[in-house]
């Protein structure tokens, strides 16, 4: 097993930016701490699982595992009339009696701070994750947090060896009201991913910074128009692959169709230029169209999430990728204590362009699940889930398929 606590490479401290953001968030929250309404929401889940292709390898190399998973998180929440603060530590441990090489323990700490002034809203996020690549490289179809529009986690889909990732992420979003209907909006984010082992084509250290500056206009009580400029800087330590800089523009129309249904349409363009790598040819600049469209609805017994997008995303392969993503989730309450849900996720990754993209193997990935949950009380429940995954790469002749079964018990104190 690799040592995930090894020191960072000389000359840079990847934890510095997240630590600074957490410190800023703590200072902003401390002023209202004494007046805040504090809650602690623990959640514990014990799950048995079976997977007939745990690493999602080609059929001849598939390895099945069976065992258990224990997850525990503590949601610390504070509210004041102007401030919301959440701190969530999470630990997940997996144990397989017959396949000890796949045993792992992952940890995460997530912090969110939102503060509102009379005309200004500020949101700060910070995350630290120390995880096995088994938890990162094959995303599931669970609805992501935050807004719609596509978001990757640096996954390459390749698990070729035991490896661990340390991921640091900070972001900030600012909205400033300029008039009765107009707002100035800005956001910035930074991601640093470090791997215990550098594996070309699968997991390479990378850093990515992004920013957005734009304006929003409330055309009606239900319609908001946005237009702005985006920028992104991607860097990899690979001597043969290029770091890159991306500039672009995007426009969005968001509409609240009813009290329970809202949607959006987004279109943009981005041009990526590449640095000269230490060895090899410098890739030519590339232009890409970006887009997004989606619906989110919450009804009396049903919740629906639908999103299709194309985005430019950092990736652990050492390439900046163009990701096309489609996601659908439906959750329905069949009886007062019985819930069912279905989720589908499709991903297609390609390099953004240029000469350097010739060695990138395009990736197609799809996964879906069916789940049934039975609640006995507000806090206690049991759930069963079946998940199917499929993946193919342009340089391979055979597809990869896997089936996974879960059966678990959950205690969640703060569940509504």
């Amino acid at each position: 097993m690799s040592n995930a606590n090894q020191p960072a490479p000389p000359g840079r401290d990847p934890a510095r930016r997240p630590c600074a953001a957490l410190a800023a968030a703590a200072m902003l929250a401390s002023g209202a701490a004494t007046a805040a309404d504090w809650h602690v929401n623990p959640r514990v889940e014990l799950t048995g699982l079976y997977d007939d292709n745990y690493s999602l390898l080609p059929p001849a190399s598939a390895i099945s595992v069976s065992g258990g998973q224990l997850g525990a998180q503590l949601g610390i929440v504070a509210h004041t009339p102007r401030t919301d603060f959440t701190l969530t530590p999470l630990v997940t441990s997996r144990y397989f009696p017959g396949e000890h090489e796949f045993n792992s323990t992952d940890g995460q700490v997530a912090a969110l701070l939102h503060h509102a002034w009379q005309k200004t809203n500020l949101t700060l996020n910070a995350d630290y994750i120390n995880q096995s690549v088994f938890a990162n490289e094959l995303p599931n179809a669970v609805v992501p947090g935050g807004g719609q529009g596509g978001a990757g986690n640096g996954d390459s889909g390749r698990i070729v060896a035991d490896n661990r990732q340390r991921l640091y992420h900070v972001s900030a979003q600012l909205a400033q009201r300029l008039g009765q209907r107009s707002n100035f909006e800005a956001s910035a984010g930074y991601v640093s991913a470090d791997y215990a082992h550098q594996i070309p084509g699968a997991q390479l250290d990378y850093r990515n910074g992004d920013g957005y500056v734009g304006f929003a206009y409330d055309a009606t009580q239900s319609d908001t128009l946005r237009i702005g400029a985006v920028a992104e800087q991607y860097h990899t330590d690979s001597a043969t692959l290029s770091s890159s800089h991306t500039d672009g523009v995007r426009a969005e129309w968001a509409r609240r169709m009813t009290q329970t249904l809202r949607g959006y349409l987004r279109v943009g363009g981005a041009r990526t230029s590449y640095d000269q790598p230490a060895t090899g040819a410098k890739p030519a600049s590339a232009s890409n169209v970006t887009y997004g469209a989606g619906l989110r609805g919450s009804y009396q017994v049903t919740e629906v999430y639908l999103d299709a997008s194309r985005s430019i995303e950092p990736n652990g392969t050492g390439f900046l990728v163009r990701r096309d993503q489609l996601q659908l989730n439906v959750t329905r309450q069949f009886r007062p204590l019985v819930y069912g849900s279905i989720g589908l996720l499709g991903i297609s990754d390609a390099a953004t362009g240029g000469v350097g993209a010739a060695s990138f193997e395009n990736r197609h990935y799809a996964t879906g699940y069916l789940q049934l949950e039975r609640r006995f009380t507000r806090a206690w429940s049991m759930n069963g889930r079946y998940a199917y995954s499929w993946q193919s790469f342009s340089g391979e002749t055979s597809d990869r398929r896997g089936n996974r079964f879960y059966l678990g018990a959950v205690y969640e104190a703060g569940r509504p």
Side-chain angles (χ1 to χ4, degrees):
M1 299 288 289
S2 58
N3 182 8
N5 297 316
Q6 63 183 9
R12 60 185 175 95
D13 181 3
R16 185 174 301 166
R17 290 177 176 85
C19 290
L22 284 170
M27 289 184 358
L28 188 56
S30 62
T34 56
D37 180 17
W38 290 87
H39 299 278
V40 177
N41 301 323
R43 185 182 192 276
V44 179
E45 181 173 6
L46 179 62
T47 305
L49 66 89
Y50 169 78
D51 193 315
D52 64 4
N53 191 354
Y54 191 56
S55 303
L56 205 59
L57 296 172
S61 304
I63 300 174
S64 63
V65 300
S66 58
Q69 175 176 294
L70 176 63
Q73 73 178 45
L74 187 65
I76 304 170
V77 182
H79 296 288
T80 73
R82 291 183 175 271
T83 304
D84 295 313
F85 175 73
T86 304
L87 180 67
T88 308
L90 168 66
V91 176
T92 304
S93 185
R94 302 172 187 86
Y95 176 71
F96 303 107
E99 300 83 18
H100 293 287
E101 66 272 21
F102 297 115
N103 295 347
S104 65
T105 298
D106 302 334
Q108 177 178 355
V109 179
L112 181 148
L113 174 66
H114 176 79
H115 187 78
W117 289 273
Q118 185 175 0
K119 294 184 177 182
T120 307
N121 286 275
L122 176 65
T123 302
L124 300 174
N125 299 79
D127 297 270
Y128 168 72
I129 306 174
N130 188 324
Q131 63 187 349
S132 166
V133 293
F134 293 100
N136 177 70
E137 298 300 342
L138 303 172
N140 57 41
V142 175
V143 174
Q148 294 181 273
N153 63 348
D155 51 285
S156 69
R158 293 191 180 275
I159 303 177
V160 297
D162 176 36
N163 205 358
R164 292 194 68 84
Q165 179 201 63
R166 290 181 299 172
L167 185 72
Y168 307 85
H169 172 249
V170 292
S171 65
Q173 298 85 38
L174 175 71
Q176 173 70 48
R177 181 163 291 279
L178 301 177
Q180 286 291 98
R181 294 188 174 187
S182 58
N183 291 281
F184 169 76
E185 299 180 334
S187 64
Y190 177 81
V191 175
S192 176
D194 299 291
Y195 295 93
H197 303 292
Q198 302 295 294
I199 303 176
Q203 291 101 36
L204 295 172
D205 291 354
Y206 68 88
R207 292 173 296 285
N208 192 80
D210 64 83
Y212 169 80
V213 176
F215 294 91
Y217 177 74
D218 296 328
T220 69
Q221 291 184 343
S222 302
D223 298 276
T224 300
L225 305 177
R226 290 183 172 88
I227 187 168
V230 295
E232 187 167 0
Q233 181 73 40
Y234 175 77
H235 177 76
T236 178
D237 292 337
S238 171
T240 59
L241 299 176
S242 297
S243 298
S244 62
H245 181 80
T246 302
D247 295 296
V249 295
R250 73 180 186 213
E252 179 181 299
W253 169 47
R255 179 176 176 83
R256 182 174 292 277
M257 303 171 186
T258 68
Q259 290 294 324
T260 58
L261 179 65
R262 64 184 187 270
Y264 84 100
L265 290 172
R266 181 185 300 163
V267 65
R271 184 163 183 83
T272 304
S273 58
Y274 302 88
D275 299 332
Q276 176 67 52
T279 61
K282 178 182 178 179
S285 298
S287 297
N288 289 277
V289 174
T290 60
Y291 61 81
L295 295 170
R296 187 190 287 260
S298 181
Y299 306 96
Q300 185 174 1
V301 296
T302 306
E303 293 185 359
V304 178
Y305 177 96
L306 175 64
D307 190 77
S309 66
R310 169 177 286 183
S311 53
I312 306 300
E313 300 284 347
N315 195 267
T317 58
F319 289 92
L320 193 70
V321 301
R322 184 186 69 229
R323 168 162 291 189
D324 292 294
Q325 181 168 300
L326 176 64
Q327 184 160 3
L328 170 66
N329 291 81
V330 179
T331 299
R332 183 171 178 82
Q333 182 179 1
F334 296 107
R335 295 180 180 178
L337 297 175
V338 179
Y339 297 78
S341 58
I342 180 173
L344 301 171
L345 172 67
I347 291 173
S348 179
D349 287 341
T352 52
V355 176
S359 59
F360 183 84
E361 293 186 355
N362 292 349
R363 172 200 181 196
H364 303 286
Y365 173 78
T367 186
Y369 72 84
L370 294 169
Q371 177 172 293
L372 187 65
E373 178 186 18
R374 173 66 162 89
R375 295 185 184 180
F376 300 98
T377 66
R378 173 181 289 185
W380 288 96
S381 65
M382 291 193 66
N383 60 72
R385 174 186 291 199
Y386 165 72
Y388 174 82
S389 298
W390 169 89
Q391 185 167 244
S392 71
F393 293 93
S394 58
E396 297 180 352
T397 58
S398 61
D399 298 342
R400 307 168 177 217
R401 296 177 173 85
N403 298 276
R404 180 174 291 194
F405 299 87
Y406 301 84
L407 182 62
V410 179
Y411 171 79
E412 186 172 356
R415 182 157 46 190

